[in-house]
Amino acid sequence: AQKITQTQPGMFVQEKEAVTLDCTYDTSDPSYGLFWYKQPSSGEMIFLIYQGSYDQQNATEGRYSLNFQKARKSANLVISASQLGDSAMYFCAMSGGAGSYQLTFGKGTKLSVIP
Amino acid sequence: NAGVTQTPKFRVLKTGQSMTLLCAQDMNHEYMYWYRQDPGMGLRLIHYSVGEGTTAKGEVPDGYNVSRLKKQNFLLGLESAAPSQTSVYFCASRPGLAGVIGELFFGEGSRLTVL
């Protein structure tokens, strides 16, 4: 069974500063994918970034990067140069390898960006 | 440019009433999912489908039924609504390409209140 743990219910960050949102996972699959989603107050789920378990380099998408440490089973999201619009809930999720159909989500971290 | 569309967006039910949530996607995706989101619980998988005519149970299937008679539609039914089913429901889809772990594409959510 897959499990995602997000230990930070809420985080605060000053505008223009960087912030790291923690995510640890547990799985017995040798192949898996890790995802981060953003949910603003309007409620929609926005895909941010993806990391495959066999990817050699950490994924990056604009101001988002995923700090993937396979031995520690962690997949932390780093947001650089925080903006007020980054205030939202952030969910870490994982999927098993080919043939595994489900995404398992963590409980989320609420990020608040302070002007 | 519709993507994943959920109907209705809001609904209030009385205990014991029945209703159906409709999810429609126009991306020709094989896999479709129903999640529920409750405060502090993240997203939990109710049921999913890996193709037309197939359905499978997720983490929290009790009290719900689903059908996938057409590839583009995935219906979630509540036969006898209970207050514990008050939640925000998200439909999602993803391509079913072999060997590809793809992100979920989400609908905007449906807020259901059971009195």
Side-chain angles (χ1 to χ4, degrees), chain A residues 32-33 35 37 39 43 45 47 50 91 95-96 98 101-103 105-107, chain B residues 31 33 35 37 40-43 45 48 50 90 94 99 101-104 106:
Chain A
Y32 50 89
F35 305 79
Y37 284 83
Q39 186 181 41
M45 296 289 289
F47 167 71
Y50 164 78
F91 293 97
S95 174
Y101 307 112
Q102 303 179 28
L103 253 67
F105 284 81
K107 295 184 177 181
Chain B
Y31 303 165
Y33 305 80
Y35 285 88
Q37 183 181 19
M41 299 296 292
L43 279 78
L45 182 64
Y48 64 99
V50 300
F90 283 96
R94 70 197 288 200
I101 305 174
E103 78 271 18
L104 292 177
F106 281 88

